[in-house]
Amino acid sequence: MIDWLPDDDDGSLPFPPLERALGPDSEAPGLLCAGGRLTIARLRQAYRRGIFPWYSRGEPVLWWCTTPRMVLKTADFRLHRSLRKTLRRFIATPGCEIRIDAAFDQVIAHCASTPRDGQVGTWIVPELMRAYRQWHAAGEVHSFETWIDGELVGGLYGVCQGRMFYGESMFARSTDASKIALAALVAFCRRSGIDWIDCQQQTRHLASMGAAPVAREVFLSHLDQVVELPSPGQWTYHRELWRQLPLEAGPEADPPMNRLPDPA
């Protein structure tokens, strides 16, 4: 049996110990507890402990801490030849740009409405969408957006806690538009000293771009080191950030890592 959070919870009650999450032989591996409300306080507490909400319409809020955890280490981002060519063309073309937080509401709405292979409906239910919009207004949820000639054609959104970025969902209305946004996120994270991007679920697509599973205890140990550090202060995408990626080199080349100094 899993624990239940009360419906009137304001986020002050602690989550159950992570050791209580259902194991790999259960019907819901990683499920920790259910119930409660999606307040900013509750979400902050969850993400700082490696917990995230994931449920469908008509279900209670379900809280997960999966193992292994899919993580994209920004130093391991795999820039395939075709994507390098796409990025070079994107950067050189007038009217093509990356924006951060310019159209967050549109990004999360597009993510919610994008069909997924093997998935019926969406886990980005209206209640969750409202909560993340409020959290975005509080400055801790961000969107990376691909724009062409003034039109939003792809993007992603996620949560930033300290020097950790938790990717939530992405969409594309144009070929490779979500990959371009992900590459921009990686470049931004490299410059900002964010070494890991949480991807939560294992997918072949993420693995092809360098993401790999890590054990829960390894993931939580990393969180302990980074979530209390100061988050990036400027959420603006500048063209020079593309220099963080090896756009002119082969996939085996080491990328430049001109990071911001660590906080004192």
Side-chain angles (χ1 to χ4, degrees), residues 91-155:
I91 295 166
T93 303
C96 293
E97 61 180 323
I98 295 292
R99 302 178 189 175
I100 299 178
D101 294 338
F104 179 83
D105 286 359
Q106 292 176 252
V107 170
I108 194 171
H110 282 310
C111 288
S113 63
T114 296
R116 315 285 178 181
D117 290 341
Q119 177 179 317
V120 178
T122 178
W123 59 272
I124 308 175
V125 298
E127 178 188 11
L128 189 143
M129 195 179 300
R130 286 193 299 270
Y132 282 74
R133 282 173 171 161
Q134 292 170 357
W135 206 7
H136 165 70
E140 296 174 39
V141 180
H142 302 279
S143 57
F144 282 70
E145 307 154 7
T146 305
W147 291 79
I148 297 178
D149 294 333
E151 180 183 358
L152 176 66
V153 296

Side-chain angles (χ1 to χ4, degrees), residues 10-244:
D10 61 0
S12 59
L13 293 175
F15 279 101
L18 299 183
E19 295 77 15
R20 294 190 192 173
L22 298 183
D25 296 329
S26 71
E27 293 183 358
L31 179 60
L32 176 64
C33 61
R37 295 185 294 122
L38 294 177
T39 63
I40 292 177
R42 172 56 70 192
L43 289 166
R44 282 176 178 150
Q45 183 190 155
Y47 277 77
R48 287 174 180 270
R49 295 194 59 204
I51 302 165
F52 59 92
W54 185 41
Y55 62 102
S56 299
R57 189 186 295 268
E59 295 179 337
V61 181
L62 301 177
W63 301 94
W64 304 75
C65 187
T66 55
T67 188
R69 191 74 163 245
M70 197 69 164
V71 167
L72 175 57
K73 298 179 181 179
T74 56
D76 295 341
F77 179 58
R78 194 171 299 147
L79 198 57
H80 295 289
R81 181 179 301 174
S82 60
L83 183 55
R84 281 204 314 275
K85 291 174 61 177
T86 296
L87 287 172
R88 289 199 299 266
R89 184 167 61 248
F90 180 85
I91 295 166
T93 303
C96 293
E97 61 180 323
I98 295 292
R99 302 178 189 175
I100 299 178
D101 294 338
F104 179 83
D105 286 359
Q106 292 176 252
V107 170
I108 194 171
H110 282 310
C111 288
S113 63
T114 296
R116 315 285 178 181
D117 290 341
Q119 177 179 317
V120 178
T122 178
W123 59 272
I124 308 175
V125 298
E127 178 188 11
L128 189 143
M129 195 179 300
R130 286 193 299 270
Y132 282 74
R133 282 173 171 161
Q134 292 170 357
W135 206 7
H136 165 70
E140 296 174 39
V141 180
H142 302 279
S143 57
F144 282 70
E145 307 154 7
T146 305
W147 291 79
I148 297 178
D149 294 333
E151 180 183 358
L152 176 66
V153 296
L156 60 86
Y157 76 96
V159 177
C160 184
Q161 295 285 292
R163 297 291 180 93
M164 183 72 191
F165 194 91
Y166 308 80
E168 291 296 313
S169 187
M170 60 176 61
F171 80 96
R173 293 289 184 267
S174 179
T175 302
D176 289 335
S178 60
K179 293 180 182 179
I180 293 171
L182 178 60
L185 170 62
V186 169
F188 179 91
C189 287
R190 285 178 172 176
R191 182 70 176 92
S192 302
I194 297 174
D195 294 331
W196 287 22
I197 299 170
D198 177 29
C199 303
Q200 298 176 351
Q201 305 294 327
Q202 299 186 53
T203 69
R204 185 178 302 175
H205 170 66
L206 290 169
S208 73
M209 302 189 79
V214 300
R216 178 192 289 150
E217 58 269 22
V218 175
F219 181 77
L220 297 177
S221 176
H222 181 76
L223 286 190
D224 287 342
Q225 299 173 48
V226 301
V227 293
E228 298 298 337
L229 296 175
S231 297
Q234 296 266 334
W235 290 85
T236 305
Y237 201 83
H238 302 289
R239 289 176 60 87
E240 61 266 24
L241 287 172
W242 289 120
R243 296 175 58 192
Q244 297 297 315

